[in-house]
Amino acid sequence: MSEGEMARLMEEVEEKKKLIGTIRNKPWRMKRRLVQLREAQQFVDKFEGALGKGKGRKWYAYKVMMTKKWIKFQRDFENFRTACIPWERKIKEVESHFGSSVASYFIFLRWMYGMNLVLFGFTFGLVVIPEVLMGLPYGSIPRKTVPRAEQPTAQDYSVLMDFNGYCKYSVLFYGYYNNQRTIGVLKFRLPLSYLMVGIGTFGYSLMVVIRTMAKNADVGGGDGGEGEFTFAWKMFTSWDYLIGNSETADNKFASITTSFKESIVDEQENQKDENIHLRRFLRVLANFLITCSLGGSGYLIYFVVKRSQDFASRDDLSWYEKNELELIMSLLGLVCPPLFETIAELEDYHPRIALKWQLGRIFALFLGNLYTFLFALFDEVNTKLEEEQAIQNASIWAMKEYYANYTRLLNDSESTPPPMDPSDVIRGPCWETAVGIEFVKLTVSDIQVTYLTILIGDFARAVIVRFLNYCWCWDLEAGFPSYGEFDISGNVLGLVFNQGMIWMGAFYAPGLVGINVLRLLSSMYYQCWAVMATNVPHERVFKASKSNNFYMGLLLLILFLSLLPVVYTIMTLPPSFDCGPFSGKVKMFDVIMETIDLDLPAFMGTLFSYAANPGLIIPAVLLMVLAIYYLNSVSEAYKNSNLELKKKMQMARDEEKNRRNNMDSTNQVMKDLEDLMPNQSLAPPAPPPEPEKTPEPETKPVKTKPGKGVNLQKDVALASPNPGAQRPVSRPPGPRGQGPGAGPGRGRGRGVPPR
Amino acid sequence: MDYTNDPECKLPLALIVNMPELNENPFRSRIVESFSEDGMGNLSFNEFVDMFSVLSEMAPRELKAIYAFKIYDFNVDNYLCKEDLEKTLNKLTKEELTPEEVELVCEKTIEEADLDGDHKLSFADFENMISRAPDFLSTFHIRI
């Protein structure tokens, strides 16, 4: 064989090999594919031997197999990872019945659960467990023992429910922890660890919230780009062909219907007309009413706080009077949101915007409540601090008396008297534990109120409506009261504020995080059940805004607000003298100074003292402010360029649309240009065979002729590489008058050979 | 079914749409009809393999788009006209939407995707729209 022939043969073999590789992708019928494949394989077999490269096929088959295995492995791993996400199926079920905004609450709940779990891990592992395992046991030192006076009642249920008695003197609260610098064999520095965990809780939460916000901001990107092809995609790509279970199919049908309804609502909102003046007046009225209610609630709390300060001096309190403050706060949180919602009906906003307003108002309500509560607490703390001075002197005096009595009674001044029994030592008021108890009580009462609300407000209501409907004069299900709808804003804010209280209280009550984890876990199951069993979908179903950054923003704000009181107390208030890991120090953060002096090498101490110099800190703060300003302007620039690009894309798409429609271009500049150069219109010349286009065989014979003729036609037409490109103009004028050489491409389109 | 004397047998539509993979699919009849040579839904073995090969995950996007177009074209006129879209929508929502809503959705769909202004979607329009859809490949997929 000559060189040229060899080369040509190699080329053909390569071509055949390529055909074998891509034969799957061709839109041919199976029969044709098999025939072509066999041909190509025979050719390759015959001539590859001649060219001496016989191993190609085996290697190729091996490669294909490995690729398939790799794809399968990746898919299995993805499945495993998705299966590990907890409650995914539950949330999908809720989503398909109630829409994405209700489901977004549950997704938020799940995220919070994850974060609290991590915080719980830190607190438990680094503070509670070391104290329990390596610290002194219960009853050995005064702070860990129930005082003699309280011992008879320490096990009573009512006392325990108030978190006094044995609860108060346990690992749940700050007061239990010992102030030994190092404990156990491992020389674990508990006070340092306590402080670090307290600060680390805030640091970790801050990091996680900001990271989630940043991730959502990427995905969100505003409502600009998502407008393309919304309905078309929903129609053609929403059904998941993999579904084989009838229940899943039902859910999917429900979710598709809901999703269409959401888009329809969005579309209709864009088309609504408005009567502006009436709307404005109603909105002003509504805002005025709501400000009045907020003011009213603030005054109520102030009043109750004053009363509770009076109660503090009395001893004979009923259960109601003892818990009045917490009860009133929870009840306000219960009654005001529906009130705001009713007033907000005057405003007539799009549901998504109305939800945001509602959230904002409830936020203001809860914020007022929380800070009033905090001020009440601070009053109490200050009182206790004053008490402490007096008690400190008294306890030292009592100790001296005890020793004096002892030596007197035994007439032996040589031996050292045994230490006083721990339960007899006079105890200081320990304000940190008191604060911790207040937060725990508030959290518990919040949990109780929430669960009871769901039980009565949703479940009992559903039961009554369902069963009383048989014997009632009007239709309970359609009119008042009917079934409840899931209150998204109330629940989200409840969750956010609950988290705020946990952040504030976790420093004084390490057990609070554990209680919260249990609460979130049970809340997930309970609320999922309640929503599926007792709620109906909202009348106006709307899509949650793509970015959940609104909820995250609220959470961030609450995080800062909870940080403030804790940091203030750490920095300014003196720790109690006889309880907690910082007892005996002047300020709580002295622990850090101590650690730097004693544990770290000498030069670190001098380094830190330099770093704490104001002359260094002020320039550092200035530098950070400048960095923030710079980053801000950079992000503004990026946003602007994004908008420009989007506009360009939109313009290009419109241009193409107009061009294909053979209409004049809508761009003013192009129009002006056209006027200047009228013969060079942008639209392609209308093809002369326009009227003959219709009878042409775009209408393929519906009656299918047996035999290969029709199929081949279909294949060719569908497999044409550029189905919509600018080719129509090049078609010759008429189907008739074609010479036999008119080209195979033409003739086959009709099945009638041109004569 | 006599395989010895007549190896080239065709399975009827009713039997194929009862397969567990296709049983819950609202478009099952249309899927089988698009792959059958006689248009009535009777599949020979080759066509059967073809059908699942196109619906598998290895099939390329263009191929899937071609067959998706055929599936949604209920009156087989090579255009997705309003009636086709209405039928698709009713199958998807089990007729839960009101006629006005159906009308609105079909109008919007044609408005979004129609490029040549003939108020129906040709294959070019369809392909242009579906090639940008992010979850087309993952939903138009049957595993067998």
Side-chain angles (χ1 to χ4, degrees):
Chain A
M1 260 195 264
S2 70
E3 272 295 323
E5 275 184 26
M6 206 56 144
R8 209 169 33 106
L9 201 58
M10 220 166 6
E11 224 178 270
E12 270 189 54
V13 167
E14 280 305 317
E15 215 180 285
K16 291 286 183 205
K17 270 202 200 160
K18 208 163 59 153
L19 180 66
I20 297 179
T22 58
I23 199 134
R24 296 208 150 117
N25 305 357
K26 304 251 187 255
W28 296 333
R29 291 287 182 199
M30 208 56 177
K31 230 178 264 185
R32 180 168 169 203
R33 243 188 267 187
L34 286 174
V35 162
Q36 292 279 341
L37 183 65
R38 221 166 290 143
E39 254 180 50
Q41 276 176 343
Q42 277 173 353
F43 188 85
V44 168
D45 274 342
K46 204 158 70 160
F47 288 106
E48 229 175 3
L51 296 173
K53 292 189 294 184
K55 297 220 179 68
R57 184 140 46 108
K58 289 218 183 79
W59 169 246
Y60 176 73
Y62 176 75
K63 254 199 328 194
V64 164
M65 191 187 68
M66 288 313 285
T67 324
K68 270 205 271 216
K69 278 207 199 294
W70 175 242
I71 291 181
K72 184 163 191 313
F73 171 75
Q74 270 182 327
R75 140 113 24 92
D76 284 342
F77 183 67
E78 270 302 312
N79 284 351
F80 173 72
R81 229 169 45 134
T82 323
C84 274
I85 301 178
W87 306 310
E88 187 72 4
R89 209 178 320 161
K90 242 188 232 298
I91 293 183
K92 272 215 159 64
E93 214 181 307
V94 172
E95 192 171 32
S96 62
H97 280 266
F98 290 91
S100 47
S101 42
V102 170
S104 73
Y105 165 74
F106 287 99
I107 294 176
F108 187 56
L109 179 59
R110 184 175 63 185
W111 181 86
M112 290 279 251
Y113 175 72
M115 182 176 76
N116 274 285
L117 210 55
V118 172
L119 292 180
F120 174 68
F122 279 153
T123 319
F124 212 63
L126 292 174
V127 171
V128 176
I129 297 280
E131 182 70 22
V132 164
L133 290 181
M134 298 189 281
L136 300 169
Y138 171 83
S140 50
I141 46 176
R143 68 186 64 180
K144 301 201 182 197
T145 331
V146 180
R148 184 81 64 181
E150 294 178 26
Q151 267 181 0
T153 55
Q155 255 184 328
D156 289 352
Y157 182 73
S158 61
V159 168
L160 283 179
M161 278 297 109
D162 259 350
F163 295 98
N164 276 323
Y166 282 118
C167 260
K168 185 167 166 188
Y169 299 95
S170 70
V171 272
L172 281 180
F173 294 106
Y174 173 98
Y176 186 81
Y177 295 86
N178 199 5
N179 68 336
Q180 247 180 313
R181 207 174 81 82
T182 67
I183 51 176
V185 171
L186 295 170
K187 299 246 183 275
F188 189 80
R189 283 144 178 73
L190 188 72
L192 182 68
S193 150
Y194 196 97
L195 191 64
M196 287 289 116
V197 163
I199 297 182
T201 306
F202 288 106
Y204 174 74
S205 312
L206 190 65
M207 199 183 69
V208 158
V209 171
I210 290 194
R211 200 169 56 182
T212 314
M213 279 182 88
K215 209 174 1 164
N216 283 344
D218 280 343
V219 171
D223 292 301
E226 68 177 33
E228 237 193 340
F229 299 133
T230 322
F231 283 94
W233 284 348
K234 278 207 161 83
M235 191 176 293
F236 294 118
T237 65
S238 58
W239 179 262
D240 191 354
Y241 281 53
L242 278 172
I243 292 179
N245 176 3
S246 62
E247 218 180 293
T248 322
D250 282 340
N251 278 352
K252 191 70 181 170
F253 281 123
S255 89
I256 291 179
T257 314
T258 313
S259 147
F260 269 113
K261 289 205 172 145
E262 284 175 358
S263 301
I264 292 176
V265 165
D266 270 350
E267 190 59 34
Q268 280 168 346
E269 279 299 324
N270 289 345
Q271 295 173 352
K272 230 163 47 163
D273 285 333
E274 324 187 348
N275 175 358
I276 296 210
H277 297 289
L278 180 65
R279 191 173 272 209
R280 273 208 204 124
F281 170 71
L282 286 178
R283 281 184 189 168
V284 167
L285 181 64
N287 277 320
F288 174 71
L289 285 174
I290 288 185
T291 326
C292 285
S293 1
L294 279 176
S297 109
Y299 179 69
L300 182 61
I301 294 201
Y302 174 73
F303 178 68
V304 170
V305 161
K306 279 275 171 274
R307 259 184 27 144
S308 77
Q309 281 175 346
D310 294 335
F311 285 156
S313 46
R314 286 168 35 196
D315 262 337
D316 55 339
L317 300 172
S318 66
W319 173 84
Y320 170 75
E321 277 157 350
K322 265 196 282 200
N323 294 322
E324 189 182 31
L325 183 59
E326 283 88 11
L327 268 176
I328 294 285
M329 282 183 65
S330 308
L331 278 177
L332 272 178
L334 205 63
V335 162
C336 286
L339 182 66
F340 291 165
E341 233 175 270
T342 335
I343 298 181
E345 303 230 337
L346 283 175
E347 291 183 332
D348 198 21
Y349 277 123
H350 181 275
R352 204 181 306 148
I353 302 183
L355 181 64
K356 289 208 171 131
W357 274 93
Q358 177 76 348
L359 280 174
R361 287 173 185 144
I362 302 183
F363 185 79
L365 175 75
F366 280 3
L367 204 60
N369 294 356
L370 200 61
Y371 263 70
T372 321
F373 175 74
L374 274 180
F375 286 133
L377 223 51
F378 267 120
D379 269 348
E380 209 179 308
V381 167
N382 282 329
T383 334
K384 286 213 154 65
L385 278 175
E386 287 162 12
E387 252 182 72
E388 211 178 279
Q389 255 334 89
I391 294 196
Q392 203 167 4
N393 295 336
S395 76
I396 296 177
W397 191 251
M399 186 80 84
K400 292 210 163 87
E401 253 191 59
Y402 173 74
Y403 287 156
N405 283 341
Y406 190 82
T407 31
R408 187 165 53 88
L409 285 175
L410 288 186
N411 277 332
D412 185 359
S413 51
E414 295 290 324
S415 63
T416 25
M420 209 152 75
D421 185 71
S423 38
D424 288 326
V425 174
I426 301 182
R427 308 294 321 282
C430 202
W431 61 269
E432 294 98 341
T433 307
V435 169
I437 292 181
E438 283 300 316
F439 274 112
V440 172
K441 273 183 9 188
L442 191 60
T443 309
V444 168
S445 94
D446 194 52
I447 297 175
Q448 286 169 337
V449 168
T450 316
Y451 284 16
L452 272 176
T453 323
I454 296 182
L455 201 60
I456 298 181
D458 280 338
F459 184 64
R461 175 173 166 183
V463 163
I464 289 177
V465 167
R466 168 67 78 87
F467 291 113
L468 223 52
N469 208 14
Y470 293 126
C471 51
W472 203 258
C473 19
W474 73 83
D475 188 358
L476 286 172
E477 280 182 6
F480 178 83
S482 84
Y483 298 106
E485 292 181 347
F486 186 76
D487 178 17
I488 303 176
S489 42
N491 276 301
V492 166
L493 279 181
L495 207 56
V496 166
F497 274 93
N498 171 56
Q499 190 60 37
M501 289 194 292
I502 302 296
W503 276 325
M504 274 197 260
F507 189 72
Y508 304 107
L512 190 56
V513 189
I515 296 179
N516 198 36
V517 165
L518 285 175
R519 173 229 167 103
L520 288 175
L521 189 62
S522 58
S523 190
M524 184 64 162
Y525 289 107
Y526 185 55
Q527 283 190 302
C528 268
W529 165 79
V531 94
M532 295 296 290
T534 67
N535 286 97
V536 289
H538 285 104
E539 251 179 67
R540 305 184 69 191
V541 179
F542 59 97
K543 213 174 359 176
S545 55
K546 264 212 177 122
S547 56
N548 272 330
N549 272 353
F550 190 61
Y551 297 160
M552 290 296 162
L554 283 181
L555 201 59
L556 196 62
L557 192 58
I558 289 286
L559 178 58
F560 280 127
L561 292 174
S562 345
L563 186 59
L564 290 177
V566 176
V567 167
Y568 176 74
T569 50
I570 293 182
M571 290 296 166
T572 52
L573 294 182
S576 301
F577 74 95
D578 70 337
C579 67
F582 309 114
S583 59
K585 307 223 182 344
V586 178
K587 287 274 187 311
M588 289 189 195
F589 59 83
D590 282 346
V591 166
I592 303 185
M593 309 306 216
E594 208 181 47
T595 316
I596 296 179
D597 286 335
L598 299 178
D599 289 330
L600 299 176
F603 72 91
M604 302 278 290
T606 32
L607 202 66
F608 276 120
S609 64
Y610 284 148
N613 187 350
L616 203 61
I617 293 196
I618 293 184
V621 168
L622 276 176
L623 193 65
M624 282 195 272
V625 168
L626 281 175
I628 291 176
Y629 179 68
Y630 169 73
L631 287 173
N632 205 20
S633 39
V634 164
S635 93
E636 286 269 344
Y638 280 149
K639 256 189 255 183
N640 279 340
S641 77
N642 259 355
L643 270 163
E644 287 295 313
L645 284 171
K646 272 191 201 151
K647 264 193 261 181
K648 261 196 213 158
M649 269 169 47
Q650 184 69 12
M651 230 167 51
R653 200 174 137 231
D654 285 340
E655 274 302 311
E656 203 175 300
K657 217 174 189 176
N658 289 330
R659 239 184 313 159
R660 286 181 193 250
N661 288 348
N662 296 345
M663 279 182 343
D664 288 327
S665 149
T666 51
N667 189 345
Q668 193 53 37
V669 175
M670 302 309 277
K671 225 177 188 165
D672 292 341
L673 272 178
E674 252 184 63
D675 287 338
L676 291 175
M677 301 177 282
N679 291 332
Q680 297 180 30
S681 151
L682 285 168
E690 271 269 19
E692 302 180 59
K693 250 205 212 166
T694 21
E696 264 194 19
E698 279 314 315
T699 60
K700 294 252 182 307
V702 179
K703 42 192 189 314
T704 52
K705 289 194 215 135
K708 295 209 192 141
V710 175
N711 290 343
L712 283 178
Q713 289 170 39
K714 274 191 185 162
D715 294 341
V716 168
L718 288 174
S720 64
N722 272 335
Q726 308 273 25
R727 272 220 270 149
V729 193
S730 54
R731 200 183 296 177
R736 332 232 176 278
Q738 294 263 11
R746 298 287 155 262
R748 261 192 251 161
R750 270 160 286 298
V752 174
R755 285 265 172 268
Chain B
M1 304 244 166
D2 189 4
Y3 292 114
T4 14
N5 298 336
D6 182 19
E8 288 283 334
C9 68
K10 286 184 174 250
L11 290 180
L13 177 76
L15 196 59
I16 300 177
V17 298
N18 281 333
M19 280 180 71
E21 285 86 357
L22 289 177
N23 203 6
E24 298 295 334
N25 198 319
F27 302 112
R28 50 190 183 270
S29 318
R30 276 303 305 154
I31 297 177
V32 178
E33 279 165 21
S34 342
F35 285 93
S36 79
E37 214 153 303
D38 59 5
M40 301 294 294
N42 302 314
L43 295 186
S44 70
F45 179 69
N46 280 339
E47 289 154 1
F48 184 82
V49 171
D50 208 13
M51 173 168 79
F52 281 107
S53 139
V54 168
L55 287 167
S56 78
E57 62 175 341
M58 303 280 288
R61 185 187 269 272
E62 300 76 30
L63 196 57
K64 287 193 192 242
I66 292 172
Y67 280 101
F69 184 76
K70 288 172 81 167
I71 288 174
Y72 293 124
D73 186 8
F74 280 79
N75 51 10
V76 202
D77 61 350
N78 267 8
Y79 282 103
L80 296 179
C81 54
K82 201 128 181 246
E83 290 75 34
D84 293 331
L85 295 181
E86 278 172 15
K87 284 213 192 92
T88 309
L89 189 58
N90 281 327
K91 279 205 193 279
L92 270 179
T93 58
K94 274 190 168 171
E95 311 201 1
E96 291 256 339
L97 295 181
T98 68
E100 296 84 35
E101 290 172 340
V102 170
E103 178 75 27
L104 179 67
V105 172
C106 294
E107 271 298 326
K108 285 299 294 180
T109 308
I110 293 184
E111 196 187 301
E112 281 171 0
D114 188 20
L115 290 175
D116 45 22
D118 54 1
H119 293 296
K120 42 191 181 164
L121 305 183
S122 67
F123 178 68
D125 306 330
F126 183 78
E127 225 241 317
N128 177 42
M129 177 266 294
I130 212 88
S131 60
R132 289 167 218 229
D135 20 278
F136 174 60
L137 281 180
S138 51
T139 55
F140 196 71
H141 167 214
I142 295 186
R143 204 176 324 179
I144 191 175

